[in-house]
Amino acid sequence: MPDVEQLISAEQIASRVAGIAREVAGVAPRNGSEDLLVLVVLKGAFVFGGDLVRALDGAGLPTEVDFMALSSYGNATTSSGEVRVSCEPRATLAARHVLLVDDILDSGRSLAHAHAYLTRSGVASTRSCVLLDKPSRRVVDVQADHVGFEIEDRFVVGYGLDWAERFRHLPYVGVVSP
Ligand code: IMP
Ligand code: MG
């Protein structure tokens, strides 16, 4: 069983999530009485998404929540680069203002793919939000509109992120040390 060394504490995450919520609430476009559609990318963003929608409520922004899943082919820590939508949202996306929420921006392929999918679905607008960003790993030229923490090129787990389906439950973000 590998050890996990803490990189970002639960307290640091909570305070940054509140900050992101204020940022999002300050710029979120509105469409009449329709709430912002928060689209949480499974599985990795399930913890972040849950905390974020509650923080958005605290920042005065009511939201509607839905989920989608992306799959990329590969093993636990590397991927082949091919991304597909493996589970589509149930909400009707056309004309909606969407906040896309993912756990981590790495090569950028997932976010770019999800963004293109939303555009094809006819959304009114997309803003993107990631808890973690590893800018040094980028293969596709894409940025998130809201970033929790920029980190170095290290494989991280916890707060929803996994290593071969393990460690998602950790309340902090850490690095696996074999
Ligand atoms: P991208 O498409 O290369 O940007 O990768 C994004 C996805 O790869 C994330 O949503 C994660 O599921 C996974 N991923 C990338 N880096 C890490 C990491 O350090 N720990 C856990 N999962 C990661
Ligand atoms: Mg993911």
Side-chain angles (χ1 to χ4, degrees), residues 41-45 70-72 101-104 110 160-162 168:
V41 179
L42 298 174
K43 299 178 189 175
L70 299 173
S71 300
S72 57
V101 177
D102 207 352
D103 51 359
I104 186 166
S110 301
L161 291 99
D162 74 307
R168 291 192 195 274

Side-chain angles (χ1 to χ4, degrees), residues 102-104 106-110 134 154-156 161-162:
D102 207 352
D103 51 359
I104 186 166
D106 188 41
S107 72
R109 290 187 186 103
S110 301
K134 291 191 220 174
R154 302 177 77 185
F155 195 83
V156 291
L161 291 99
D162 74 307

Side-chain angles (χ1 to χ4, degrees), residues 5 22 26 38 67 74 78 91 96 109 115-116 124 141 153 159-160 175:
E5 178 200 335
R22 287 191 295 269
V38 175
F67 302 93
T78 63
R96 296 300 302 270
R109 290 187 186 103
H115 208 288
D141 183 22
D153 180 12
Y159 199 67
V175 177

Side-chain angles (χ1 to χ4, degrees), residues 39-162:
L39 203 48
V40 179
V41 179
L42 298 174
K43 299 178 189 175
F46 83 109
V47 178
F48 177 41
D51 282 348
L52 186 62
V53 293
R54 290 180 290 176
L56 285 168
D57 180 63
L61 190 72
T63 56
E64 179 181 329
V65 185
D66 202 358
F67 302 93
M68 69 185 289
L70 299 173
S71 300
S72 57
Y73 300 97
N75 60 29
T77 58
T78 63
S79 81
S80 66
E82 205 183 321
V83 179
R84 67 191 174 93
V85 177
S86 53
C87 180
E88 299 200 39
R90 300 191 68 177
T92 302
L93 298 173
R96 296 300 302 270
H97 290 293
V98 175
L99 179 71
L100 185 62
V101 177
D102 207 352
D103 51 359
I104 186 166
L105 185 49
D106 188 41
S107 72
R109 290 187 186 103
S110 301
L111 192 63
H113 193 88
H115 208 288
Y117 167 82
L118 293 176
T119 302
R120 279 199 306 278
S121 305
V123 298
S125 73
T126 308
R127 293 187 70 84
S128 53
C129 177
V130 295
L131 179 74
L132 303 167
D133 184 6
K134 291 191 220 174
S136 65
R137 294 262 306 166
R138 208 71 91 247
V139 172
V140 176
D141 183 22
V142 60
Q143 284 179 17
D145 296 302
H146 305 274
V147 173
F149 302 90
E150 269 193 17
I151 60 168
E152 289 170 21
D153 180 12
R154 302 177 77 185
F155 195 83
V156 291
V157 297
Y159 199 67
L161 291 99
D162 74 307

